[in-house]
Amino acid sequence: MSGKQGIRIASHVHSDWSYDAKWTLEELASAFVKRGYRVVLMTEHDKGYDEQRRQDHRAACARASSDQILMMPGIEYSDADNTVHVLVWGDVPFAGEGVPTLELLKHVAEHKGVAVLAHPTRKNAWRRVKPEWIKLLAGVELWNRKSDGWCISTDGANLIAETGLAAWVGLDFHRSRQFFPLAMTMQLEDGVSLTESIMIEAIREGTVVPKALGVRADQFEAGFLGAASRFADKARRSVLRMIRRK
């Protein structure tokens, strides 16, 4: 009798293919396998990219993948003034740097890719969301480890409630301090091999679920865990401010 297995997915990860990160794809693969992840959704910055570099990155991700982990290529696109960022996965031709968000989202849809709005709190990006974007997005980051710290983004939660888009969690991994118990999760039929196309379809259909500390992240805000995470993040930020003053 066939069954299903739950898999953990690390979303929004940068390697040394991005200008501001240093970990190699092979180092990331090893580190995430040790932490129980089966998929890493890469999101290299668009800065300095072109179509040839995108193709080279796809090949490098394939080489770094194994039967233990899928290193899935992707790009984090920024608009012209670096406010709105969109995470894109799929074999989508490079769209260019500084592309208007609606133009980018249409390009992704045309080429059967998927897109998720990144860190809506950063620079108040949520204020720029247009109604025509909604049907072209697969989700919104409810919790971005790098931008939001140790607690959920209230702006992200409000945007998800208003739009009905799927909630996402992302590490925005550039360095080791961004390791954190956040994961997208999904159920995979026993005997089915993880592939890029399976992941794209799961993202499109909304069958990936965000979890934080083992709890559904979109239910995390209420109750003790939500209060504790807000308190911890406030304390963390206070300590960082004191350190920076010295």
Side-chain angles (χ1 to χ4, degrees):
M1 185 176 180
S2 63
K4 293 184 178 182
Q5 56 178 310
I7 65 168
R8 299 178 74 224
I9 303 156
S11 177
H12 199 157
V13 178
H14 297 271
S15 75
D16 59 359
W17 284 73
S18 290
Y19 66 90
D20 57 354
K22 295 182 178 179
W23 288 52
T24 67
L25 289 167
E26 290 75 16
E27 289 169 337
L28 289 167
S30 176
F32 280 105
V33 164
K34 290 176 182 176
R35 288 165 173 81
Y37 291 88
R38 292 284 311 281
V39 181
V40 179
L41 299 179
M42 302 303 303
T43 50
E44 312 294 4
H45 291 297
D46 59 356
K47 183 178 179 180
Y49 254 67
D50 57 20
E51 178 58 16
Q52 184 59 57
R53 185 166 176 80
R54 187 189 75 87
Q55 294 286 355
D56 292 345
H57 181 252
R58 288 182 62 80
C61 284
R63 290 192 298 270
S65 298
S66 68
D67 58 357
Q68 292 181 297
I69 196 159
L70 172 66
M71 303 295 288
M72 188 162 136
I75 297 178
E76 179 175 6
Y77 285 95
S78 308
D79 62 1
D81 65 355
N82 193 32
T83 297
V84 177
H85 288 204
V86 177
L87 312 175
V88 172
W89 297 286
D91 193 2
V92 178
F94 184 65
E97 293 184 38
V99 178
T101 302
L102 180 58
E103 180 181 330
L104 169 67
L105 293 175
K106 288 180 176 179
H107 175 76
V108 174
E110 178 186 354
H111 293 280
K112 312 299 183 186
V114 288
V116 169
L117 181 68
H119 38 60
T121 294
R122 178 185 172 276
K123 294 189 175 183
N124 289 320
W126 65 273
R127 295 182 183 275
R128 295 201 180 179
V129 174
K130 303 292 192 297
E132 54 266 35
W133 298 4
I134 307 307
K135 65 180 180 180
L136 300 171
L137 284 166
V140 173
E141 279 190 334
L142 172 69
W143 191 341
N144 177 288
R145 167 62 187 91
K146 183 171 182 285
S147 294
D148 303 323
W150 293 356
C151 60
I152 281 171
S153 161
T154 300
D155 298 322
N158 291 339
L159 185 58
I160 288 164
E162 291 169 6
T163 62
L165 286 167
W168 273 66
V169 292
L171 296 170
D172 205 349
F173 184 93
H174 292 76
R175 49 191 59 85
S176 57
R177 69 169 176 256
Q178 274 112 34
F179 280 122
F180 198 72
L182 294 177
M184 299 302 294
T185 63
M186 63 177 284
Q187 296 294 311
L188 185 70
E189 294 283 351
D190 288 342
V192 174
S193 298
L194 278 168
T195 64
E196 182 181 27
S197 61
I198 284 175
M199 286 305 309
I200 292 293
E201 191 61 25
I203 294 169
R204 182 177 290 116
E205 292 183 355
T207 57
V208 286
V209 176
K211 287 194 175 181
L213 300 171
V215 177
R216 276 193 60 131
D218 49 359
Q219 299 171 356
F220 192 91
E221 185 70 6
F224 171 77
L225 285 175
S229 68
R230 289 190 295 273
F231 177 82
D233 189 62
K234 186 176 180 179
R236 178 187 70 90
R237 292 178 187 270
S238 296
V239 170
L240 287 175
R241 283 194 293 271
M242 286 189 290
I243 293 172
R244 287 167 183 158
R245 291 193 192 106
K246 294 182 179 180

